[in-house]
Protein backbone atom coordinates (compact mmCIF):
# COMPACT_ATOMS: atom_id res chain seq x y z
CA UNK A 1 0.00 0.00 0.00
CA UNK A 2 1.66 3.19 -1.16
CA UNK A 3 1.80 6.39 0.88
CA UNK A 4 -0.65 8.01 -1.55
CA UNK A 5 -3.13 5.18 -0.99
CA UNK A 6 -2.69 5.44 2.77
CA UNK A 7 -3.34 9.18 2.67
CA UNK A 8 -6.44 8.70 0.50
CA UNK A 9 -7.73 6.10 2.95
CA UNK A 10 -7.19 8.48 5.84
CA UNK A 11 -8.99 11.36 4.08
CA UNK A 12 -11.98 9.16 3.27
CA UNK A 13 -12.34 7.90 6.82
CA UNK A 14 -11.90 11.35 8.37
CA UNK A 15 -14.94 12.61 6.42
CA UNK A 16 -17.20 10.09 8.19
CA UNK A 17 -17.36 12.09 11.42
CA UNK A 18 -16.73 15.70 10.51
CA UNK A 19 -17.95 17.24 13.78
CA UNK A 20 -15.64 15.14 15.96
CA UNK A 21 -12.77 15.84 13.59
CA UNK A 22 -13.54 19.57 13.63
CA UNK A 23 -13.54 19.74 17.44
CA UNK A 24 -10.28 17.80 17.64
CA UNK A 25 -8.56 20.09 15.13
CA UNK A 26 -10.02 23.13 16.92
CA UNK A 27 -8.60 21.99 20.26
CA UNK A 28 -5.20 21.43 18.64
CA UNK A 29 -5.32 24.84 16.94
CA UNK A 30 -6.20 26.56 20.22
CA UNK A 31 -3.32 24.82 21.97
CA UNK A 32 -0.90 25.81 19.21
CA UNK A 33 -2.18 29.39 19.20
CA UNK A 34 -1.74 29.63 22.96
CA UNK A 35 1.80 28.28 22.70
CA UNK A 36 2.86 30.73 19.99
CA UNK A 37 1.17 33.82 21.46
CA UNK A 38 2.51 33.13 24.95
CA UNK A 39 6.07 32.58 23.75
CA UNK A 40 5.83 35.60 21.42
CA UNK A 41 5.71 37.85 24.48
CA UNK A 42 9.19 36.71 25.45
CA UNK A 43 10.44 37.11 21.87
CA UNK A 44 8.82 40.55 21.60
CA UNK A 45 10.32 41.93 24.81
CA UNK A 46 13.70 40.45 23.88
CA UNK A 47 13.61 42.11 20.47
CA UNK A 48 12.56 45.43 22.02
CA UNK A 49 15.41 45.44 24.52
CA UNK A 50 17.95 44.42 21.89
CA UNK A 51 16.82 47.21 19.56
CA UNK A 52 16.83 49.68 22.42
CA UNK A 53 20.38 48.78 23.39
CA UNK A 54 21.53 48.88 19.77
CA UNK A 55 20.16 52.39 19.33
CA UNK A 56 21.52 53.75 22.60
CA UNK A 57 25.01 52.37 22.20
CA UNK A 58 27.18 51.17 19.34
CA UNK A 59 27.78 47.43 19.22
CA UNK A 60 31.41 47.97 18.18
CA UNK A 61 32.12 50.20 21.18
CA UNK A 62 34.22 49.35 24.26
CA UNK A 63 34.36 51.70 27.27
CA UNK A 64 37.68 51.72 29.14
CA UNK A 65 37.62 53.10 32.68
CA UNK A 66 41.24 52.56 33.73
CA UNK A 67 43.63 49.75 34.53
CA UNK A 68 45.52 48.08 37.36
CA UNK A 69 49.29 47.96 37.72
CA UNK A 70 51.46 45.11 39.02
CA UNK A 71 50.59 46.06 42.61
CA UNK A 72 46.84 46.01 41.83
CA UNK A 73 46.63 49.82 42.10
CA UNK A 74 44.23 51.76 39.90
CA UNK A 75 45.82 53.74 37.06
CA UNK A 76 44.20 56.30 34.75
CA UNK A 77 44.47 56.02 30.98
CA UNK A 78 47.40 57.98 29.48
CA UNK A 79 48.66 58.81 25.98
CA UNK A 80 50.81 55.66 26.07
CA UNK A 81 47.65 53.58 26.58
CA UNK A 82 45.92 55.41 23.75
CA UNK A 83 48.77 54.57 21.38
CA UNK A 84 48.61 50.95 22.51
CA UNK A 85 44.86 50.78 21.83
CA UNK A 86 45.33 52.26 18.37
CA UNK A 87 48.00 49.66 17.58
CA UNK A 88 45.68 46.72 18.32
CA UNK A 89 44.60 44.83 15.24
CA UNK A 90 41.05 45.54 14.01
CA UNK A 91 40.68 48.72 16.10
CA UNK A 92 39.11 51.46 13.99
CA UNK A 93 39.61 54.47 16.27
CA UNK A 94 40.02 55.49 19.92
CA UNK A 95 38.19 58.50 21.37
CA UNK A 96 39.37 60.19 24.56
CA UNK A 97 37.99 63.00 26.67
CA UNK A 98 39.15 64.96 29.70
CA UNK A 99 36.46 66.26 32.02
CA UNK A 100 36.59 69.59 33.77
CA UNK A 101 36.30 68.49 37.39
CA UNK A 102 33.58 71.05 38.09
CA UNK A 103 30.48 72.21 36.27
CA UNK A 104 31.18 75.66 34.80
CA UNK A 105 28.43 78.24 34.37
CA UNK A 106 27.92 79.64 30.87
CA UNK A 107 26.36 83.09 30.53
CA UNK A 108 25.03 84.93 27.49
CA UNK A 109 23.23 88.24 27.97
CA UNK A 110 20.85 87.69 30.92
CA UNK A 111 20.71 83.89 30.48
CA UNK A 112 22.92 81.18 31.96
CA UNK A 113 23.20 77.47 32.59
CA UNK A 114 25.58 74.95 34.11
CA UNK A 115 26.94 72.35 31.69
CA UNK A 116 29.25 69.36 31.82
CA UNK A 117 32.45 70.40 30.05
CA UNK A 118 35.36 68.45 28.61
CA UNK A 119 38.18 68.39 26.08
CA UNK A 120 37.79 66.00 23.14
CA UNK A 121 40.05 64.71 20.37
CA UNK A 122 37.93 65.65 17.37
CA UNK A 123 39.67 63.59 14.63
CA UNK A 124 38.86 60.38 16.50
CA UNK A 125 35.40 61.66 17.48
CA UNK A 126 34.51 62.32 13.83
CA UNK A 127 35.85 58.91 12.82
CA UNK A 128 33.67 57.25 15.46
CA UNK A 129 30.52 58.88 14.06
CA UNK A 130 30.31 62.25 15.85
CA UNK A 131 28.45 64.78 13.67
CA UNK A 132 27.42 68.42 13.77
CA UNK A 133 23.93 69.70 13.10
CA UNK A 134 25.17 73.27 12.59
CA UNK A 135 28.44 75.15 12.31
CA UNK A 136 31.96 73.73 12.11
CA UNK A 137 34.71 72.25 14.24
CA UNK A 138 36.78 74.60 16.45
CA UNK A 139 39.90 76.03 14.83
CA UNK A 140 41.00 78.55 17.47
CA UNK A 141 41.73 78.15 21.17
CA UNK A 142 38.69 80.14 22.33
CA UNK A 143 36.21 78.31 20.08
CA UNK A 144 33.87 75.66 21.47
CA UNK A 145 31.19 73.16 20.47
CA UNK A 146 27.98 72.72 22.44
CA UNK A 147 25.48 69.89 22.74
CA UNK A 148 22.34 69.90 20.61
CA UNK A 149 20.08 70.98 23.50
CA UNK A 150 22.48 73.45 25.14
CA UNK A 151 20.43 76.51 24.13
CA UNK A 152 17.23 74.98 25.54
CA UNK A 153 18.75 75.01 29.03
CA UNK A 154 19.75 78.69 29.04
CA UNK A 155 17.46 80.41 31.55
CA UNK A 156 17.02 83.99 32.74
CA UNK A 157 19.27 84.87 35.64
CA UNK A 158 16.56 87.12 37.05
CA UNK A 159 14.17 84.16 37.27
CA UNK A 160 16.53 81.72 39.03
CA UNK A 161 14.52 81.80 42.26
CA UNK A 162 11.33 80.83 40.42
CA UNK A 163 10.04 77.47 39.28
CA UNK A 164 11.78 77.35 35.89
CA UNK A 165 10.78 73.88 34.73
CA UNK A 166 7.46 72.24 33.91
CA UNK A 167 6.33 68.80 35.10
CA UNK A 168 8.28 67.12 32.26
CA UNK A 169 11.52 68.80 33.34
CA UNK A 170 11.54 71.17 30.33
CA UNK A 171 12.44 74.83 30.78
CA UNK A 172 9.33 76.98 30.57
CA UNK A 173 9.13 79.04 27.39
CA UNK A 174 8.90 82.40 29.17
CA UNK A 175 12.29 81.80 30.84
CA UNK A 176 14.12 80.18 27.88
CA UNK A 177 16.67 81.86 25.63
CA UNK A 178 15.17 82.32 22.16
CA UNK A 179 18.08 83.74 20.21
CA UNK A 180 20.60 81.99 17.97
CA UNK A 181 23.73 80.92 19.86
CA UNK A 182 25.83 79.94 16.85
CA UNK A 183 28.65 82.44 16.38
CA UNK A 184 27.94 84.12 19.74
CA UNK A 185 30.57 84.76 22.42
CA UNK A 186 29.60 83.32 25.78
CA UNK A 187 31.25 83.65 29.21
CA UNK A 188 32.44 80.47 30.93
CA UNK A 189 32.76 80.90 34.70
CA UNK A 190 34.88 78.52 36.79
CA UNK A 191 35.59 78.62 40.50
CA UNK A 192 38.25 77.66 42.99
CA UNK A 193 38.30 77.60 46.77
CA UNK A 194 41.15 79.50 48.38
CA UNK A 195 41.40 80.03 52.14
CA UNK A 196 37.78 78.99 52.46
CA UNK A 197 36.56 81.55 49.92
CA UNK A 198 35.16 80.96 46.45
CA UNK A 199 36.96 82.84 43.67
CA UNK A 200 35.49 83.08 40.17
CA UNK A 201 37.30 83.43 36.87
CA UNK A 202 35.62 84.19 33.52
CA UNK A 203 36.84 82.82 30.16
CA UNK A 204 35.13 84.27 27.05
CA UNK A 205 34.56 81.53 24.43
CA UNK A 206 32.85 81.49 21.04
CA UNK A 207 30.30 78.89 19.96
CA UNK A 208 31.20 77.72 16.43
CA UNK A 209 29.40 74.37 16.25
CA UNK A 210 26.36 72.51 17.58
CA UNK A 211 26.41 68.72 17.91
CA UNK A 212 23.86 66.49 16.23
CA UNK A 213 20.90 65.38 18.34
CA UNK A 214 21.20 62.02 20.19
CA UNK A 215 19.64 58.97 18.56
CA UNK A 216 16.72 58.83 21.00
CA UNK A 217 14.18 61.63 21.36
CA UNK A 218 14.17 61.49 25.15
CA UNK A 219 17.95 61.93 25.38
CA UNK A 220 19.25 65.46 25.98
CA UNK A 221 22.75 66.74 25.23
CA UNK A 222 23.79 69.85 27.18
CA UNK A 223 27.55 69.22 27.08
CA UNK A 224 30.29 71.66 26.05
CA UNK A 225 33.56 70.88 24.22
CA UNK A 226 36.47 73.22 24.96
CA UNK A 227 40.01 73.35 23.60
CA UNK A 228 43.10 71.98 25.41
CA UNK A 229 44.34 75.56 25.74
CA UNK A 230 41.24 76.66 27.67
CA UNK A 231 41.54 73.52 29.81
CA UNK A 232 45.14 74.48 30.63
CA UNK A 233 43.99 77.97 31.67
CA UNK A 234 41.40 76.42 33.99
CA UNK A 235 44.03 74.13 35.53
CA UNK A 236 46.41 77.05 35.99
CA UNK A 237 43.67 79.06 37.68
CA UNK A 238 42.56 76.30 40.05
CA UNK A 239 46.05 74.86 40.53
CA UNK A 240 44.67 71.35 40.03
CA UNK A 241 44.77 68.77 37.25
CA UNK A 242 41.30 68.65 35.68
CA UNK A 243 40.34 72.03 37.14
CA UNK A 244 38.97 70.77 40.45
CA UNK A 245 37.90 73.77 42.57
CA UNK A 246 38.81 72.12 45.89
CA UNK A 247 42.39 71.66 47.16
CA UNK A 248 43.59 68.13 46.39
CA UNK A 249 44.57 65.54 48.99
CA UNK A 250 48.19 64.45 49.22
CA UNK A 251 47.28 61.12 47.60
CA UNK A 252 45.74 62.80 44.55
CA UNK A 253 47.77 64.04 41.57
CA UNK A 254 48.69 67.73 41.71
CA UNK A 255 49.18 70.23 38.92
CA UNK A 256 52.86 69.31 38.87
CA UNK A 257 51.99 65.99 37.23
CA UNK A 258 52.92 66.39 33.57
CA UNK A 259 51.49 63.17 32.12
CA UNK A 260 48.05 63.73 30.63
CA UNK A 261 45.30 61.36 31.71
CA UNK A 262 41.85 60.74 30.26
CA UNK A 263 38.53 60.29 32.05
CA UNK A 264 36.45 58.92 29.19
CA UNK A 265 37.98 56.52 26.66
CA UNK A 266 36.22 54.45 24.01
CA UNK A 267 37.71 51.89 21.63
CA UNK A 268 35.84 51.22 18.38
CA UNK A 269 36.34 47.94 16.54
CA UNK A 270 36.24 47.57 12.75
CA UNK A 271 33.28 45.19 12.96
CA UNK A 272 31.02 43.34 15.38
CA UNK A 273 32.94 40.06 14.97
CA UNK A 274 36.14 41.67 16.30
CA UNK A 275 34.64 43.23 19.43
CA UNK A 276 34.86 40.11 21.61
CA UNK A 277 38.47 39.42 20.66
CA UNK A 278 39.56 43.02 21.38
CA UNK A 279 37.63 43.12 24.66
CA UNK A 280 39.21 39.88 25.88
CA UNK A 281 42.69 41.15 25.02
CA UNK A 282 42.14 44.38 26.96
CA UNK A 283 40.83 42.49 29.98
CA UNK A 284 43.87 40.20 29.93
CA UNK A 285 46.02 43.35 30.00
CA UNK A 286 44.23 44.41 33.22
CA UNK A 287 42.11 47.18 31.72
CA UNK A 288 38.65 47.85 33.14
CA UNK A 289 36.33 47.49 30.17
CA UNK A 290 32.67 47.46 29.40
CA UNK A 291 31.14 46.36 26.11
CA UNK A 292 27.52 45.99 25.13
CA UNK A 293 28.45 42.53 23.82
CA UNK A 294 29.01 41.37 27.42
CA UNK A 295 25.67 42.81 28.43
CA UNK A 296 23.97 41.24 25.43
CA UNK A 297 25.21 37.79 26.49
CA UNK A 298 23.53 38.20 29.87
CA UNK A 299 20.34 39.57 28.30
CA UNK A 300 20.23 36.74 25.76
CA UNK A 301 20.74 34.13 28.49
CA UNK A 302 17.95 35.64 30.62
CA UNK A 303 15.49 35.74 27.75
CA UNK A 304 16.49 32.27 26.54
CA UNK A 305 15.41 30.93 29.94
CA UNK A 306 12.23 33.00 29.76
CA UNK A 307 11.39 31.75 26.24
CA UNK A 308 11.96 28.13 27.22
CA UNK A 309 9.68 28.59 30.23
CA UNK A 310 6.91 30.17 28.13
CA UNK A 311 7.20 27.47 25.45
CA UNK A 312 7.01 24.81 28.19
CA UNK A 313 3.85 26.38 29.62
CA UNK A 314 2.36 26.64 26.13
CA UNK A 315 3.17 22.97 25.49
CA UNK A 316 0.94 22.06 28.43
CA UNK A 317 -2.02 23.43 26.46
CA UNK A 318 -1.08 21.15 23.58
CA UNK A 319 -0.82 18.19 25.93
CA UNK A 320 -4.37 18.92 27.08
CA UNK A 321 -5.46 19.04 23.43
CA UNK A 322 -3.72 15.69 22.87
CA UNK A 323 -6.32 14.06 25.09
CA UNK A 324 -8.91 14.88 22.45
CA UNK A 325 -6.68 13.45 19.72
CA UNK A 326 -6.18 10.27 21.74
CA UNK A 327 -9.95 9.92 22.16
CA UNK A 328 -10.56 10.60 18.45
CA UNK A 329 -8.00 8.01 17.37
CA UNK A 330 -9.31 5.42 19.84
CA UNK A 331 -12.84 5.89 18.46
CA UNK A 332 -11.45 5.68 14.93
CA UNK A 333 -9.83 2.32 15.67
CA UNK A 334 -13.09 1.01 17.11
CA UNK A 335 -15.24 2.28 14.26
CA UNK A 336 -12.87 0.99 11.56
CA UNK A 337 -12.41 -2.46 13.03
CA UNK A 338 -14.04 -4.16 9.99
CA UNK A 339 -11.74 -2.25 7.63
CA UNK A 340 -8.74 -3.23 9.71
CA UNK A 341 -9.92 -6.83 9.69
CA UNK A 342 -10.25 -6.83 5.90
CA UNK A 343 -6.76 -5.31 5.49
CA UNK A 344 -5.23 -7.93 7.75
CA UNK A 345 -7.19 -10.71 6.01
CA UNK A 346 -5.77 -9.76 2.61
CA UNK A 347 -2.24 -9.69 4.05
CA UNK A 348 -1.67 -6.06 5.06
CA UNK A 349 1.47 -5.56 7.09
CA UNK A 350 0.76 -4.52 10.73
CA UNK A 351 3.30 -1.75 10.21
CA UNK A 352 1.19 -0.37 7.35
CA UNK A 353 -1.93 -0.37 9.53
CA UNK A 354 0.00 1.40 12.28
CA UNK A 355 1.32 3.98 9.81
CA UNK A 356 -2.21 4.74 8.59
CA UNK A 357 -3.38 5.76 12.06
CA UNK A 358 -0.17 7.65 12.83
CA UNK A 359 -0.64 9.47 9.53
CA UNK A 360 -4.16 10.41 10.55
CA UNK A 361 -3.08 11.79 13.93
CA UNK A 362 -0.21 13.67 12.23
CA UNK A 363 -2.64 15.12 9.71
CA UNK A 364 -4.89 16.35 12.50
CA UNK A 365 -1.87 17.86 14.26
CA UNK A 366 -0.62 19.55 11.08
CA UNK A 367 -4.02 21.09 10.30
CA UNK A 368 -4.34 22.31 13.88
CA UNK A 369 -0.79 23.72 13.84
CA UNK A 370 -1.33 25.60 10.57
CA UNK A 371 -4.65 27.07 11.68
CA UNK A 372 -3.21 27.93 15.10
CA UNK A 373 -0.19 29.64 13.53
CA UNK A 374 -2.35 31.83 11.28
CA UNK A 375 -4.55 32.81 14.23
CA UNK A 376 -1.48 33.49 16.41
CA UNK A 377 -0.05 35.90 13.83
CA UNK A 378 -3.40 37.69 13.74
CA UNK A 379 -3.57 37.96 17.54
CA UNK A 380 0.04 39.18 17.66
CA UNK A 381 -0.73 41.95 15.17
CA UNK A 382 -3.90 42.97 17.03
CA UNK A 383 -2.07 43.08 20.39
CA UNK A 384 0.74 45.27 19.06
CA UNK A 385 -1.74 47.56 17.30
CA UNK A 386 -4.47 47.75 19.92
CA UNK A 387 -2.53 47.79 23.21
CA UNK A 388 -1.14 51.34 22.75
CA UNK A 389 -4.66 52.56 21.94
CA UNK A 390 -6.11 50.83 25.02
CA UNK A 391 -3.41 52.26 27.30
CA UNK A 392 -3.87 55.74 25.88
CA UNK A 393 -7.68 55.87 25.79
CA UNK A 394 -8.62 53.77 28.83
CA UNK A 395 -5.75 54.24 31.27
CA UNK A 396 -4.41 57.58 29.98
CA UNK A 397 -0.92 56.11 29.77
CA UNK A 398 1.54 56.48 26.92
CA UNK A 399 3.07 53.29 25.51
CA UNK A 400 6.89 53.36 25.80
CA UNK A 401 8.42 54.21 22.44
CA UNK A 402 9.50 51.26 20.32
CA UNK A 403 8.15 48.53 22.64
CA UNK A 404 6.92 45.35 20.94
CA UNK A 405 4.82 43.17 23.23
CA UNK A 406 4.46 40.29 20.77
CA UNK A 407 6.87 39.12 18.07
CA UNK A 408 6.72 35.80 16.19
CA UNK A 409 9.96 34.89 14.41
CA UNK A 410 10.11 31.98 11.98
CA UNK A 411 12.06 29.98 14.55
CA UNK A 412 9.15 30.17 17.02
CA UNK A 413 6.72 29.10 14.29
CA UNK A 414 8.92 26.11 13.38
CA UNK A 415 9.36 25.11 17.04
CA UNK A 416 5.63 25.36 17.73
CA UNK A 417 4.64 23.31 14.67
CA UNK A 418 7.28 20.70 15.54
CA UNK A 419 6.02 20.42 19.14
CA UNK A 420 2.44 20.19 17.89
CA UNK A 421 3.31 17.36 15.48
CA UNK A 422 5.31 15.47 18.11
CA UNK A 423 2.48 15.71 20.66
CA UNK A 424 -0.17 14.62 18.15
CA UNK A 425 1.92 11.71 16.84
CA UNK A 426 2.46 10.39 20.36
CA UNK A 427 -1.26 10.87 21.07
CA UNK A 428 -2.09 8.56 18.17
CA UNK A 429 0.69 6.07 18.91
CA UNK A 430 -1.17 3.87 21.38
CA UNK A 431 -4.39 3.68 19.35
CA UNK A 432 -2.27 2.80 16.29
CA UNK A 433 -0.56 0.06 18.27
CA UNK A 434 -3.97 -1.22 19.34
CA UNK A 435 -5.09 -1.34 15.70
CA UNK A 436 -2.26 -3.73 14.83
CA UNK A 437 -3.35 -6.15 17.59
CA UNK A 438 -6.98 -6.43 16.46
CA UNK A 439 -8.07 -10.02 15.85
CA UNK A 440 -9.27 -10.54 12.28
CA UNK A 441 -12.31 -12.71 13.12
CA UNK A 442 -13.51 -10.42 15.93
CA UNK A 443 -13.03 -7.43 13.66
CA UNK A 444 -15.11 -8.99 10.92
CA UNK A 445 -17.88 -9.72 13.48
CA UNK A 446 -17.58 -6.11 14.87
CA UNK A 447 -16.67 -7.41 18.33
CA UNK A 448 -13.79 -5.00 18.92
Amino acid sequence: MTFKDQFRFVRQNMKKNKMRLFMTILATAIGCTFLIVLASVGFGLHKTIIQDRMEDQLVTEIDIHGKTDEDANYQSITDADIKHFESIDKVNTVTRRQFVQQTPMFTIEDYNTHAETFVAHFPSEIKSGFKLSEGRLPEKDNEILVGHHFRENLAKESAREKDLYDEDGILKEEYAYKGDILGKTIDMQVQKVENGKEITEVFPVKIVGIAEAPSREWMKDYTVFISPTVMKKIEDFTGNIGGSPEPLDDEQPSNNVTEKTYDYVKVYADNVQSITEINEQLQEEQYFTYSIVSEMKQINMLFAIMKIGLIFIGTIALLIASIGIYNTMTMAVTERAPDIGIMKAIGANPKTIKNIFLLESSYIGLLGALIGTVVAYGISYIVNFALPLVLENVFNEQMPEGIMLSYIPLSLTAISIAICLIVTIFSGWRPAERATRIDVLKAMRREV
Side-chain angles (χ1 to χ4, degrees):
M1 194 174 188
T2 64
F3 177 82
K4 186 176 181 180
D5 292 331
Q6 293 178 25
F7 187 71
R8 186 184 296 113
F9 180 78
V10 168
R11 289 288 301 274
Q12 290 174 351
N13 284 286
M14 289 175 68
K15 293 178 181 179
K16 294 179 179 178
N17 197 325
K18 293 182 179 180
M19 181 55 66
R20 187 174 66 201
L21 176 65
F22 171 77
M23 296 304 295
T24 305
I25 293 176
L26 178 62
T28 306
I30 292 174
C32 187
T33 301
F34 180 75
L35 167 60
I36 296 176
V37 172
L38 184 64
S40 72
V41 175
F43 281 89
L45 294 177
H46 189 192
K47 184 178 177 66
T48 299
I49 291 177
I50 293 296
Q51 286 181 337
D52 185 70
R53 299 304 297 161
M54 294 300 184
E55 290 179 6
D56 289 348
Q57 196 169 7
L58 291 175
V59 183
T60 57
E61 183 180 281
I62 302 175
D63 292 333
I64 303 180
H65 308 288
K67 63 178 179 179
T68 55
D69 58 17
E70 296 177 354
D71 300 323
N73 297 319
Y74 174 82
Q75 299 289 323
S76 297
I77 303 299
T78 64
D79 283 323
D81 296 304
I82 298 296
K83 291 180 180 179
H84 171 62
F85 300 151
E86 292 175 334
S87 68
I88 297 176
D89 187 33
K90 299 177 182 178
V91 168
N92 180 42
T93 189
V94 181
T95 62
R96 54 273 200 185
R97 298 178 181 180
Q98 288 177 286
F99 281 94
V100 176
Q101 302 300 318
Q102 60 175 294
T103 309
M105 176 179 282
F106 294 86
T107 304
I108 180 171
E109 300 175 8
D110 186 35
Y111 297 82
N112 58 44
T113 183
H114 288 277
E116 191 176 53
T117 306
F118 49 85
V119 180
H121 182 255
F122 287 112
S124 61
E125 293 282 349
I126 297 298
K127 196 173 181 181
S128 70
F130 181 86
K131 295 180 181 179
L132 298 177
S133 61
E134 296 181 65
R136 58 173 174 81
L137 293 174
E139 297 173 354
K140 299 179 181 179
D141 293 339
N142 69 325
E143 294 179 341
I144 65 171
L145 292 181
V146 297
H148 190 80
H149 304 95
F150 176 82
R151 183 182 66 84
E152 298 176 8
N153 221 31
L154 287 167
K156 281 187 177 181
E157 173 63 31
S158 57
R160 280 290 165 189
E161 301 301 321
K162 299 180 181 180
D163 185 10
L164 300 179
Y165 300 92
D166 60 21
E167 58 183 11
D168 296 323
I170 299 175
L171 187 67
K172 294 179 180 178
E173 186 176 352
E174 60 265 32
Y175 303 130
Y177 182 76
K178 299 177 178 62
D180 188 5
I181 60 173
L182 192 63
K184 297 288 183 68
T185 297
I186 189 168
D187 291 333
M188 180 176 67
Q189 301 176 28
V190 295
Q191 295 181 335
K192 71 174 181 179
V193 177
E194 192 173 280
N195 299 322
K197 296 182 179 180
E198 290 185 354
I199 302 175
T200 301
E201 182 73 12
V202 177
F203 298 96
V205 289
K206 183 179 180 180
I207 301 174
V208 297
I210 300 175
E212 191 176 57
S215 58
R216 304 304 296 271
E217 291 184 4
W218 54 266
M219 296 176 69
K220 301 295 182 181
D221 181 11
Y222 305 112
T223 55
V224 174
F225 299 80
I226 62 174
S227 68
T229 301
V230 175
M231 181 67 162
K232 184 65 168 60
K233 290 180 180 180
I234 295 173
E235 291 177 337
D236 291 339
F237 167 67
T238 60
N240 299 320
I241 287 290
S244 174
E246 300 288 343
L248 298 176
D249 298 332
D250 294 336
E251 297 180 357
Q252 293 179 292
S254 67
N255 199 28
N256 295 324
V257 177
T258 58
E259 190 172 24
K260 184 187 294 185
T261 60
Y262 299 95
D263 307 292
Y264 192 68
V265 178
K266 290 179 179 288
V267 172
Y268 292 85
D270 286 337
N271 51 64
V272 178
Q273 290 73 25
S274 305
I275 195 73
T276 302
E277 179 184 342
I278 296 172
N279 192 42
E280 289 176 353
Q281 178 180 337
L282 292 173
Q283 289 179 346
E284 289 175 0
E285 294 172 352
Q286 303 301 313
Y287 288 99
F288 299 112
T289 67
Y290 168 79
S291 169
I292 194 173
V293 173
S294 302
E295 182 179 340
M296 296 307 296
K297 288 181 180 178
Q298 298 175 356
I299 292 175
N300 290 338
M301 177 60 70
L302 177 64
F303 275 97
I305 296 172
M306 178 181 178
K307 291 172 188 176
I308 292 172
L310 292 175
I311 290 174
F312 176 77
I313 295 173
T315 303
I316 295 176
L318 278 175
L319 292 175
I320 295 173
S322 70
I323 298 174
I325 298 175
Y326 177 84
N327 180 65
T328 297
M329 297 309 302
T330 301
M331 293 296 294
V333 171
T334 303
E335 292 172 353
R336 297 171 200 167
D339 296 333
I340 296 172
I342 293 172
M343 285 191 292
K344 296 187 77 172
I346 62 178
N349 193 313
K351 185 177 180 181
T352 301
I353 298 172
K354 180 179 179 181
N355 289 341
I356 288 173
F357 286 94
L358 288 178
L359 180 62
E360 183 171 339
S361 64
S362 301
Y363 188 56
I364 292 173
L366 181 61
L367 287 176
L370 293 177
I371 295 172
T373 300
V374 172
V375 174
Y377 272 97
I379 293 175
S380 177
Y381 176 80
I382 292 172
V383 167
N384 289 324
F385 176 77
L387 186 61
L389 299 178
V390 172
L391 286 175
E392 186 175 348
N393 296 321
V394 178
F395 299 99
N396 294 322
E397 294 289 340
Q398 196 71 26
M399 189 79 165
E401 181 185 355
I403 191 169
M404 183 181 294
L405 185 62
S406 177
Y407 170 66
I408 307 176
L410 291 177
S411 58
L412 175 58
T413 302
I415 291 172
S416 302
I417 291 176
I419 292 175
C420 189
L421 286 176
I422 292 172
V423 169
T424 53
I425 289 173
F426 274 99
S427 299
W429 192 275
R430 186 169 179 79
E433 286 280 356
R434 181 174 173 233
T436 63
R437 295 194 297 268
I438 289 179
D439 182 81
V440 176
L441 295 178
K442 290 184 178 180
M444 299 297 290
R445 292 197 300 268
R446 298 178 180 270
E447 294 180 3
V448 178

